[in-house]
Amino acid sequence: MKFDAEFAWDRSQTPAELHRMLDAVGEYYPLFERQGGDGCRLSFRRRENSGRLLVMRQGDSVTVEYDSVSGAARGVGLVMAGRDCDETAVFKTLGIMLDCSRNAVMTVEHFKGWLLRLALMGYNMAMLYTEDTYELPDEPYFGYMRGPYTAEEIRELDDYAKKLGIELVACIQVLGHMEQILQWAAYQPVKDTRNVLLVNEPKTYELIEKMIAFWSRTLSTERIHIGMDETHDLGRGRFMDIYGYERGFDIFNRHLGRVGEICEKYGLRPMIWSDMYFRLGNSRQDYYAPETVIPDDVKRQIPANVDLVYWDYYHREREFYSEWIKRHRELGHEPMMASGIWTWGKLWCDHELTHATVQPCIEACRDSKLAEILFTMWGDDGAYCEFDSSLAELCRAADMAFGEKGTAADIEKSFGTICGGSYHVHQIASQLDYAFWENEKVQASLLLWDDPLMMKYLREISKKLPDGYASIVRHYRSLAESLKPFENQTAGGCIALAFKAATFLADKVELQNGLSTACSVRDIATVKDIAENGIPAIIGALRDFAAVFRRQWLNRNKRFGLDVMQIRFGGQIARWEEMAVTLNEFIAGKIATVPEFDAGKGVAESSAVPGCTWSRLAMSSSSLLW
């Protein structure tokens, strides 16, 4: 990163609580400890319990008035970006949650870099979502071949976060989402269903106590997130075989009460995702169903020492968030809000969808005087997103959370200074997913993994496109052309990954379009050219993309999980090779048609599946790809 100025601070004149933070910043930014000399001189003045952050410039001196270490860190970030401010923190807690359980586990060094950048944006809390990706003593299958964090690594991250005024909080699971552990025979005694632990079983609580004890020893916070979301089949497996039917609300609250007691034993205050209270209150198990009714006896049984986290990544209306915050408060608990920076199912952070959902969420939280908000970054379906691309939207979200209007120029300054990238270029790269009808999008990840012969996703999506395959090709050709001048940019996100993806997707769809047409009219010359030249070229483009993907994965993550992605790339290559063999059989007259092309004709001409919205179809990648 290049800076136009240097910045200096005087240790003897600076409050001691800021020394470690400023030292950490100075390791990577032009912030030096000295009393005189050239550069912009920084001084700091504490304003107790005001929530106010004030940056005042006078000549070559800047004074930062702050009320917390994280506030001072944000002030430093604004100073280095050349931005003045007079703002009051709306939220007591401004945090993030990074998914480290869906195939990718970020390295300690890379996450420390994230923590530093987050501090300069103004964040003061961070969660690592670890279902099983931590080494639990005497439980060798925890994180087995998944790159788990050791206790020493967690302590190292905790110490670094504390320097920066950031509270590091464990985000684990103690009921559902435990399929990685429950796949092993050793955990059969604590298994209810494929991914849900067996409530009432003493061995379940012995295991959970080990988890809670681990995090109480490794982190300095007194808070812990224990998950318990999306347990749709709670009590419907071995539990029902053993105990018979019991109302889901009662199973859930009883288990929460027992886990809450364990947390209390270790001096921790737990929080949970709140969705199951709302899902169990309607027949559809829909989190956001207006008809949901939560019985009064259930509300009374929610343990008083448990906090609720309301997660919502989807709604674009401020009024919806306000209504659901009100419903949470009616449970007798003040919620924490969890919005989403859209990384899951994406090759690149979706800037449009993120902004469209984050802004009304923040506005509703501000109107409702909610004290705590965090932004999640999930890794569903393999965590193949370039997660560093989400830093751009985290920068923008921080401005909104602090009440800043955040012009495009302001965000460009802050993101460029703190992360070294261009916000504008990141927005261009985000067009890997692009809207084509209302809020529906062509999803790059689904096109990438779509089987070359079967073309399930491509056929489905082309039904709604104005001119089918050709519009997809035009979009990705144009996008690749726009990104090419920036393909060497790696700060805050690897632009080469987006460029290679756009290039490959344009090539892939163009080839598939031309091939299906040629086969349908028996244009043997074109089919032969595609088999001999087109397919080897497309495999080469895929290998180019896979090489960039590998490089960036290893820059950011532990090695484990890369195997899953390389198997996917290898599967794609194998299917392209199979296509070449099939086409040669077609050319030689050994087969009359390409069966996969014929099989799709009826589907391609039919209407969309009744009752299936395009957004649901697009997010059901496993049904389309595997």
Side-chain angles (χ1 to χ4, degrees), residues 447-450 452 476-477 480 498-510 537-543 545 569 572 576:
L447 276 180
L448 173 64
W449 306 124
D450 201 19
Y476 286 115
R477 288 273 179 248
F499 167 70
K500 293 290 187 182
T503 301
F504 171 73
L505 292 175
D507 291 346
K508 177 177 182 177
V509 177
E510 186 171 52
I538 200 74
I539 290 175
L542 181 56
R543 290 187 186 279
F545 175 67
F569 285 121
Q572 278 275 306
W576 283 109

Side-chain angles (χ1 to χ4, degrees), residues 325-603:
I325 290 169
K326 175 175 171 287
R327 291 188 181 212
H328 278 78
R329 285 172 168 164
E330 289 171 354
L331 296 179
H333 293 249
E334 184 67 5
M336 174 188 286
M337 184 74 225
S339 184
I341 305 296
W342 272 83
T343 52
W344 55 103
K346 309 288 181 180
L347 294 174
W348 194 269
C349 174
D350 190 324
H351 289 249
E352 182 279 327
L353 184 52
T354 297
H355 186 58
T357 52
V358 164
Q359 182 168 338
C361 177
I362 290 176
E363 290 171 351
C365 291
R366 184 184 298 116
D367 294 344
S368 302
K369 301 188 184 314
L370 214 59
E372 298 188 293
I373 188 170
L374 66 93
F375 302 101
T376 62
M377 285 148 286
W378 295 102
D380 301 32
D381 196 37
Y384 40 71
C385 184
E386 163 51 306
F387 272 88
D388 284 354
S389 69
S390 60
L391 290 165
E393 282 306 311
L394 286 169
C395 189
R396 183 175 188 171
D399 264 21
M400 288 189 282
F402 276 90
E404 287 287 315
K405 297 302 181 184
T407 66
D410 288 335
I411 297 167
E412 191 72 49
K413 285 180 183 178
S414 284
F415 182 63
T417 298
I418 295 171
C419 299
S422 165
Y423 185 76
H424 174 66
V425 174
H426 272 246
Q427 287 181 302
I428 295 173
S430 181
Q431 294 172 28
L432 280 170
D433 288 352
Y434 70 99
F436 66 91
W437 181 66
E438 295 183 357
N439 292 325
E440 308 303 340
K441 294 190 173 188
V442 172
Q443 290 200 20
S445 59
L446 296 184
L447 276 180
L448 173 64
W449 306 124
D450 201 19
D451 185 85
L453 274 165
M454 295 181 180
M455 299 187 293
K456 292 181 183 179
Y457 180 64
L458 185 58
R459 284 188 173 116
E460 289 295 325
I461 209 72
S462 66
K463 297 176 194 174
K464 284 288 184 180
L465 290 167
D467 54 355
Y469 301 171
S471 62
I472 298 177
V473 175
R474 282 197 305 272
H475 174 80
Y476 286 115
R477 288 273 179 248
S478 175
L479 179 57
E481 185 178 338
S482 298
L483 291 174
K484 185 170 179 53
F486 310 105
E487 66 173 315
N488 292 325
Q489 289 189 12
T490 58
C494 178
I495 301 300
L497 191 145
F499 167 70
K500 293 290 187 182
T503 301
F504 171 73
L505 292 175
D507 291 346
K508 177 177 182 177
V509 177
E510 186 171 52
L511 184 149
Q512 289 174 307
N513 184 27
L515 179 59
S516 60
T517 300
C519 286
S520 67
V521 299
R522 304 190 68 80
D523 179 354
I524 299 301
T526 298
V527 174
K528 188 173 187 295
D529 181 61
I530 289 174
E532 293 179 354
N533 302 304
I535 291 177
I538 200 74
I539 290 175
L542 181 56
R543 290 187 186 279
D544 285 347
F545 175 67
V548 175
F549 184 94
R550 177 185 184 274
R551 183 184 70 207
Q552 188 59 9
W553 183 283
L554 296 177
N555 282 342
R556 187 180 63 243
N557 303 320
K558 297 187 178 186
R559 289 189 62 89
F560 297 94
L562 178 60
D563 56 317
V564 173
M565 303 314 304
Q566 290 181 330
I567 288 169
R568 290 192 187 182
F569 285 121
Q572 278 275 306
I573 291 171
R575 291 296 288 165
W576 283 109
E577 290 173 342
E578 173 60 27
M579 179 185 282
V581 172
T582 301
L583 293 182
N584 284 323
E585 291 172 345
F586 175 74
I587 293 165
K590 293 181 180 179
I591 56 175
T593 62
V594 177
E596 291 86 349
F597 292 171
D598 291 343
K601 287 180 180 177
V603 173

Side-chain angles (χ1 to χ4, degrees), residues 44-45 47 50-56 63-79 83-89 119-122 402 404:
F44 299 86
R45 184 161 58 237
R47 296 173 64 98
S50 67
R52 190 180 184 193
L53 175 62
L54 184 62
V55 174
M56 299 174 292
T63 300
V64 177
E65 291 192 354
Y66 71 99
D67 80 336
S68 65
V69 174
S70 63
R74 175 170 169 82
V76 172
L78 292 170
V79 170
R83 295 176 58 185
D84 297 329
C85 84
D86 183 356
E87 60 189 25
T88 300
L120 293 172
M121 295 176 194
F402 276 90
E404 287 287 315

Side-chain angles (χ1 to χ4, degrees), residues 247-271:
R247 188 175 66 158
F249 279 129
D250 298 325
I251 302 173
F252 190 88
N253 269 344
R254 183 169 66 254
H255 182 71
L256 178 57
R258 291 192 64 171
V259 178
E261 290 173 359
I262 295 172
C263 291
E264 189 172 2
K265 174 181 175 180
Y266 288 91
L268 297 174
R269 182 177 180 90
M271 64 185 88

